[in-house]
Amino acid sequence: MILMKDIIREDNSLLRERSEEVALPLSSEDRQLAEELLEYVKNSQDDGLAEKYDLRPGVGIAAPQVGKLKRLFALHLEKEDGQLLSLVAVNPKIVSHSVELAYLSTGEGCLSVDRSVPGYVPRYARITARFTDLNGDEQRMRLKGFPAIAFQHELDHLNGVLFYDRINHDDPFGDIPNGSPIDLGSGE
């Protein structure tokens, strides 16, 4: 089980490296890593388990965040239509995206960043993603809004990019041309 002590923080240089493609079919080691990443985000959203194990809540976590430079991540969140999006993405790619941008009105956070970094993080409002799932099946998925933002945040981790790299540091809350805010309401 992944705990907060297993998640590396922003000062670790591994978070700035590009991850390697994962060999398919998944090795037992890679499959276990993927399952543990998904288990973390699920457990972190369970109030009882989060409190018991002192887990920070998150909707996604990428392999580099636990010190593994592999192109895989897990997401577990609710889509705009109320349906659950729970997946492991192996060797993910964005194959197309909107011209329109979106950003979280509250800014983004990260399990590897133990501080608040204020500012808007511009992302594509809609993406079409391709990846291999935990069962080895090729998936193609259209995402918009918060799920699209979360996918892009985790994909950035695989490329050595942290969310605050995308903030305009001269004007963190400045207008995002062609961008629309997404309000998550009371929680993530």
Side-chain angles (χ1 to χ4, degrees):
M1 178 177 179
I2 294 172
L3 300 172
M4 285 307 298
K5 69 176 180 54
D6 303 312
I7 298 174
I8 63 177
R9 300 311 200 269
E10 65 182 302
D11 59 349
N12 189 310
S13 63
L14 280 179
L15 289 176
R16 294 307 194 165
E17 293 186 34
R18 185 173 172 80
S19 295
E20 299 291 324
E21 292 276 318
V22 178
L24 297 170
L26 289 177
S27 66
S28 57
E29 177 187 311
D30 288 342
R31 183 176 184 82
Q32 180 179 350
L33 171 61
E35 288 171 349
E36 288 178 358
L37 292 173
L38 187 56
E39 177 189 47
Y40 178 89
V41 284
K42 287 179 177 179
N43 290 347
S44 79
Q45 293 176 39
D46 178 305
D47 292 340
L49 290 174
E51 186 174 338
K52 179 178 179 180
Y53 295 108
D54 195 27
L55 306 176
R56 273 182 50 204
V59 298
I61 187 170
Q65 292 180 271
V66 293
K68 307 288 187 193
L69 291 175
K70 295 173 182 266
R71 295 190 75 77
L72 65 92
F73 64 73
L75 285 178
H76 185 77
L77 55 92
E78 199 173 285
K79 296 193 298 187
E80 290 167 340
D81 61 7
Q83 288 191 323
L84 186 65
L85 177 66
S86 189
L87 61 85
V88 168
V90 180
N91 300 328
K93 291 178 174 50
I94 293 175
V95 294
S96 67
H97 59 80
S98 64
V99 173
E100 298 84 20
L101 301 176
Y103 56 92
L104 298 182
S105 60
T106 55
E108 291 184 22
C110 180
L111 294 169
S112 293
V113 180
D114 291 328
R115 61 192 173 97
S116 175
V117 182
Y120 297 144
V121 182
R123 306 271 186 195
Y124 301 121
R126 294 179 308 283
I127 61 171
T128 300
R130 196 175 69 225
F131 59 91
T132 302
D133 67 17
L134 201 49
N135 299 319
D137 297 324
E138 182 86 9
Q139 299 291 331
R140 187 177 173 97
M141 185 176 290
R142 286 183 157 160
L143 298 170
K144 66 178 184 172
F146 181 55
I149 286 173
F151 194 99
Q152 291 169 82
H153 177 111
E154 299 310 326
L155 185 60
D156 271 355
H157 276 301
L158 306 186
N159 295 320
V161 176
L162 292 173
F163 75 94
Y164 54 70
D165 298 340
R166 297 188 178 280
I167 294 172
N168 177 344
H169 295 286
D170 295 329
D171 190 6
F173 292 102
D175 185 48
I176 306 289
N178 210 19
S180 300
I182 294 175
D183 186 7
L184 293 180
S186 59
E188 281 184 59

